Amino acid sequence: MTGPVRTALVTGAQQGIGRAAALALAADGCDVVVNWLDDEDAAHSVADEVIALGRRSVLLRGDVSSVDFCRRLVAETVRSFGRIDVLVNNAGIFPRVPFLDMAEAEWDRVISVNLKGSVFCAQAAAQAMAEAQTPGAIINLSSAALRGMPLGVHYAATKAGIVGATRSMALALARHGIRVNAIAPGLTDTAQPRHGHSEEELTDMAKSIPLGRIGHPTDIANLIVFLASDRAEWITGQTYHINGGAYLR
């Protein structure tokens, strides 16, 4: 890699896809800001692994549902490393609830974290990139936007919103050289599906996937690294579905 060391900010990086993204970006040469919320030991472990890969890391705790925090998160990233080149909007929640029982507070909380948080983290990052006249990449995590989820009407709504926001942000930011893309993972081996399914159920679900297994966080992280790199310099406004062929059925 030539030129200045890039800086990547990954929200919700303490576990799962966020953790895999932070480590993969570090392995690709980025310094990494690890945003986390509720597992300090896990967050420190990610930062330690980034450092072991020869890159710098900073831990920033906070909830992306707060617009003020989104702005402070980016400001602290720039203060710590002098720049921001990559934002991975990974932080999200999925409290399962039957649609007929869903309360307004549950709807509002999921919208605030998953959709509002992603949009305003992207806005803050893009403002910093534009002010520095530094081309950058924003990668949003989407899923469930096409098929929906019976216990996740609020969750699916946020992920569909992210697809639309990704396209619109890509158009708004292209003149600044800022690319915006989304990744929609299928069934992936993280805490989220394990929260709502037994191991036997996950095994049965994997059998229905044409490639014969559920995804690994590294499967998603590999695409994140590509979309963050100069190798994807003519790609923006796209949503990539990584699901082992599940949508082919």
Side-chain angles (χ1 to χ4, degrees), residues 170-228:
L171 292 172
L173 298 174
R175 66 188 182 94
H176 297 290
I178 300 169
R179 299 177 294 101
V180 189
N181 291 289
I183 298 175
L187 182 64
T188 306
D189 190 5
T190 65
Q192 190 178 96
R194 292 185 181 282
H195 176 72
H197 300 94
S198 67
E199 289 296 322
E200 183 178 359
E201 288 172 329
L202 288 173
T203 299
D204 287 341
M205 292 165 72
K207 291 176 182 178
S208 70
I209 297 172
L211 288 182
R213 66 169 175 86
I214 65 175
H216 303 308
T218 52
D219 293 322
I220 316 306
N222 288 337
L223 182 54
I224 289 172
V225 169
F226 171 72
L227 291 174

Side-chain angles (χ1 to χ4, degrees), residues 28 225-226 229-235:
D28 197 53
V225 169
F226 171 72
S229 74
D230 291 342
R231 299 185 296 277
E233 66 179 358
W234 209 50
I235 299 174

